[in-house]
Amino acid sequence: MSSFEQGGPAVPAATSPGPAPAWASHRAPSADRPDRVTVAVYAADPVLRLGVVQQLRQRPEIDLLADADAERAEVSLVVVDHVDDDVAALLHRLRHNTATRTGLVVATLGSGSLQRVIECGVAAVLRRAEADQDQLLRLVLAIANGEGVLPGDLLGKLLSHVGSLQRSALDPRGLSLSTLTTREADMLRMVSEGLDTAEIARKTSYSERTVKNILHEVITRLQLRNRAHAVGYALRNGLI
């Protein structure tokens, strides 16, 4: 993978022939539609970037932002082969941008890297091999709605990895099983199983609004980024 630009969220495309810039976001030509989800696409490989951009620019629900506007995107998609230190640095930077939520489209991701990206605040993960137009749209809309997306087998890897850690090694704030109520823990378990808000509501007989409020309370109280981060944090600390 080529080296990455870290000075800003995107680098304008070159005006003369030559290699594409490391990280860049693109805008689909369209009229202003404030009801659409604003998206910035980041990729080191211009071919990967172009593939995702071409898929998303066909969807009326999506507004692809120009480089100069990438910092205000509701959703940032990072498209890579694998997670290395440069990718992690970008994810950390995006995590501190309160305007955006981040999704990762990746070719390969091991259990250790999965936990790493979740701790970087990544809200959702999609395999590149599965990243067709419908799956990309689903990913973007879920992230914009504050939900997480994680392939089932990657969740299994995360569970196996977390299960190998000592449950007694809680963080310095002294977290314990009592940090979550039974209802909160049950809902986080369902999130970890891939259930969305509507499915959790049906399974628990709560309204979707109540489910969102409960999960939002957990995320806010534990100072986490999103649902995927909450699941990873709770698993790592033995809370579910």
Side-chain angles (χ1 to χ4, degrees):
M1 181 174 292
S2 60
S3 60
F4 298 101
E5 289 286 345
Q6 299 301 328
V11 179
T15 56
S16 60
W23 291 108
S25 60
H26 290 251
R27 182 186 185 91
S30 58
D32 265 341
R33 289 278 301 280
D35 55 321
R36 296 189 298 173
V37 178
T38 54
V39 178
V41 178
Y42 299 82
D45 186 331
V47 174
L48 297 183
R49 182 178 63 244
L50 181 61
V52 171
V53 167
Q54 286 183 332
Q55 296 277 21
L56 290 178
R57 69 155 46 104
Q58 302 174 42
R59 302 301 307 222
E61 304 94 330
I62 303 299
D63 182 15
L64 287 165
L65 295 183
D67 297 350
D69 298 322
E71 288 283 0
R72 67 175 179 83
E74 296 171 74
V75 174
S76 294
L77 288 184
V78 177
V79 188
V80 295
D81 288 318
H82 60 277
V83 176
D84 57 16
D85 289 342
D86 289 332
V87 175
L90 174 67
L91 296 176
H92 274 295
R93 181 165 60 78
L94 291 172
R95 178 182 180 181
H96 291 94
N97 177 3
T98 58
T100 195
R101 298 174 188 269
T102 305
L104 180 69
V105 181
V106 63
T108 59
L109 190 67
S111 56
S113 295
L114 177 59
Q115 183 174 350
R116 184 182 189 186
V117 301
I118 288 175
E119 291 176 350
C120 286
V122 170
V125 176
L126 179 65
R127 275 201 185 83
R128 269 200 0 233
E130 301 169 355
D132 60 19
Q133 186 179 118
D134 290 339
Q135 290 296 329
L136 285 169
L137 179 64
R138 176 175 176 267
L139 186 78
V140 168
L141 296 182
I143 295 170
N145 196 38
E147 299 180 355
V149 178
L150 193 64
D153 65 306
L154 290 184
L155 178 60
K157 289 181 180 180
L158 177 63
L159 291 171
S160 297
H161 178 71
V162 172
S164 67
L165 302 177
Q166 294 183 346
R167 286 180 173 264
S168 59
L170 302 180
D171 74 12
R173 287 179 290 174
L175 293 180
S176 66
L177 291 175
S178 62
T179 304
L180 297 177
T181 67
T182 300
R183 183 172 66 172
E184 290 170 341
D186 286 344
M187 287 193 181
L188 279 181
R189 286 190 191 96
M190 284 183 269
V191 172
S192 76
E193 293 167 0
L195 276 64
D196 61 20
T197 299
E199 291 168 329
I200 294 173
R202 287 195 296 272
K203 196 164 184 176
T204 60
S205 298
Y206 290 117
S207 69
E208 291 188 33
R209 179 180 294 274
T210 297
V211 171
K212 288 181 179 179
N213 288 342
I214 291 170
L215 292 172
H216 177 74
E217 165 61 24
V218 173
I219 292 167
T220 302
R221 188 172 74 243
L222 298 181
Q223 300 178 18
L224 302 173
R225 177 69 171 164
N226 49 51
R227 294 185 184 187
H229 192 194
V231 168
Y233 188 88
L235 288 168
R236 178 163 53 88
N237 289 288
L239 301 178
I240 61 174

